[in-house]
Amino acid sequence: MFYLIDGYNLAMDSGLSRTLSGPGNPERARSRLLMWLAGRLDDAERARTTVVFDAKRHSVDKADSIEFGMRVLFAVDYPDADSMIEALIAKHSAPKFLTVVSSDQRLLTAALRRRALAVRSADWFEQIDNRPRLESPTPDSDEKLPIGEREKLISEFDTAEIQRLIDDENRIGP
């Protein structure tokens, strides 16, 4: 399963952050959310997780990157994170393997339209938070390096692993 997460939405709905207003609050919200995810998702899940954050409303001085093995994208070229997430949902080649985490009805509808799993942020947080806490990985210096080419990063969202998952499901059957 691939996870596509509306970052600030999950941070706020989960209570990991109370506000995005004020100096440093968006960065703290991002950091808390990514640390929480790193402590709850295993290595394989983190490798299939993309977290998208707004960039226009909250000053962002970071480039798209890999943190704790998760793709972290900033909606710099989009009006907001929702628009970028919609584009990623539309582009995904195997949406039945995609879980979209957001409380934004627009994104939940877009996910359901593509037959992806749509989960409200608070519900997903509760489900994942009930898992035993894993030892949080420490970010390697390689993981913090910017990815660079935005199109390459977005295109990697549809990896060869999707095809492997499809092949595995076809072998197993419904």
Side-chain angles (χ1 to χ4, degrees):
M1 187 61 67
F2 289 83
Y3 295 115
L4 179 55
I5 299 172
D6 186 347
Y8 288 132
N9 184 278
L10 179 58
M12 298 298 290
D13 284 0
S14 66
L16 291 170
S17 182
R18 294 178 190 219
T19 183
L20 297 175
S21 302
N25 284 338
E27 177 61 36
R28 278 190 288 281
R30 290 191 301 269
S31 179
R32 284 183 188 140
L33 176 63
L34 295 173
M35 287 293 293
W36 177 82
L37 289 167
R40 295 305 189 285
L41 302 178
D42 64 30
D43 292 344
E45 289 172 315
R46 286 194 315 275
R48 295 185 308 264
T49 297
T50 300
V51 185
V52 180
F53 293 102
D54 284 316
K56 301 273 190 234
R57 291 183 301 183
H58 311 289
S59 62
V60 173
D61 57 356
K62 296 180 76 172
D64 297 339
S65 61
I66 301 291
E67 295 191 37
F68 303 107
M70 299 174 284
R71 288 184 180 92
V72 178
L73 304 179
F74 294 93
V76 175
D77 298 328
Y78 294 83
D80 53 32
D82 294 352
S83 299
M84 183 178 198
I85 293 169
E86 271 187 315
L88 290 169
I89 293 168
K91 183 180 182 119
H92 203 282
S93 65
K96 70 180 181 178
F97 293 108
L98 177 64
T99 297
V100 176
V101 179
S102 178
S103 293
D104 188 306
Q105 191 58 46
R106 169 181 155 194
L107 296 179
L108 298 176
T109 300
L112 292 172
R113 197 175 308 123
R114 294 282 329 273
R115 294 189 171 84
L117 181 61
V119 183
R120 293 199 169 278
S121 293
D123 296 337
W124 192 79
F125 175 82
E126 186 176 319
Q127 175 189 352
I128 301 300
D129 199 46
N130 285 328
R131 292 179 173 184
R133 183 156 168 60
L134 303 172
E135 186 175 320
S136 292
T138 55
D140 294 330
S141 57
D142 291 342
E143 289 181 329
K144 286 286 207 176
L145 294 174
I147 295 298
E149 307 164 19
R150 172 179 291 274
E151 291 307 312
K152 179 178 181 240
L153 182 63
I154 291 172
S155 69
E156 287 177 0
F157 190 72
D158 294 338
T159 63
E161 186 167 355
I162 293 174
Q163 188 59 51
R164 186 184 57 75
L165 288 169
I166 293 168
D167 293 344
D168 288 350
E169 183 169 288
N170 289 337
R171 276 194 295 275
I172 295 170

